[in-house]
């Protein structure tokens, strides 16, 4: 999978997750795909920023969904504002 395909599939994964985050007043945006397409940097936004369960959401929701679309992804990192 080339870089453009990886980005497209990561965006598809985020589109799947976004409605759940938005229903709680949050959102997510893709910042970067690095380390030979194995690491994704995202930014949780809105209510997600101060949420006490955002790390759980990131690992069990966001990372799991992205890996479903792009199995080569090893890690998803939230870059805080």
């Amino acid at each position: 999978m080339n870089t453009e395909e990886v980005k497209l599939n990561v965006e598809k994964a985020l589109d799947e997750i976004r409605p759940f985050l938005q229903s709680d007043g949050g959102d997510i945006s893709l910042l970067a795909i690095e380390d030979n397409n194995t690491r994704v940097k995202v930014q949780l936004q809105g209510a997600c920023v101060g949420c006490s369960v955002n790390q759980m959401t990131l690992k069990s929701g966001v990372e799991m969904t992205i890996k479903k679309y792009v199995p080569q992804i090893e890690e998803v990192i939230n870059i805080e504002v």
Side-chain angles (χ1 to χ4, degrees):
M1 200 178 288
N2 69 34
T3 302
E4 197 54 41
E5 290 172 314
V6 169
K7 183 177 182 196
L8 190 64
N9 284 326
V10 168
E11 287 289 1
K12 285 180 189 175
L14 295 181
D15 285 343
E16 184 177 313
I17 297 158
R18 201 166 270 121
F20 299 103
L21 299 176
Q22 290 172 340
S23 71
D24 286 330
D27 207 346
I28 191 167
S29 61
L30 174 62
L31 298 179
I33 300 170
E34 300 176 338
D35 295 338
N36 202 26
N37 294 329
T38 62
R39 181 180 305 184
V40 174
K41 288 185 176 179
V42 297
Q43 187 173 68
L44 291 170
Q45 301 167 329
C48 292
V49 173
C51 179
S52 62
V53 295
N54 70 10
Q55 284 306 307
M56 189 174 71
T57 298
L58 187 70
K59 292 297 174 191
S60 63
V62 177
E63 189 171 281
M64 187 177 71
T65 304
I66 288 175
K67 286 180 176 181
K68 181 174 74 174
Y69 282 84
V70 189
Q72 74 200 49
I73 298 297
E74 295 171 2
E75 184 178 29
V76 177
I77 301 167
N78 177 45
I79 304 300
E80 298 196 19
V81 186

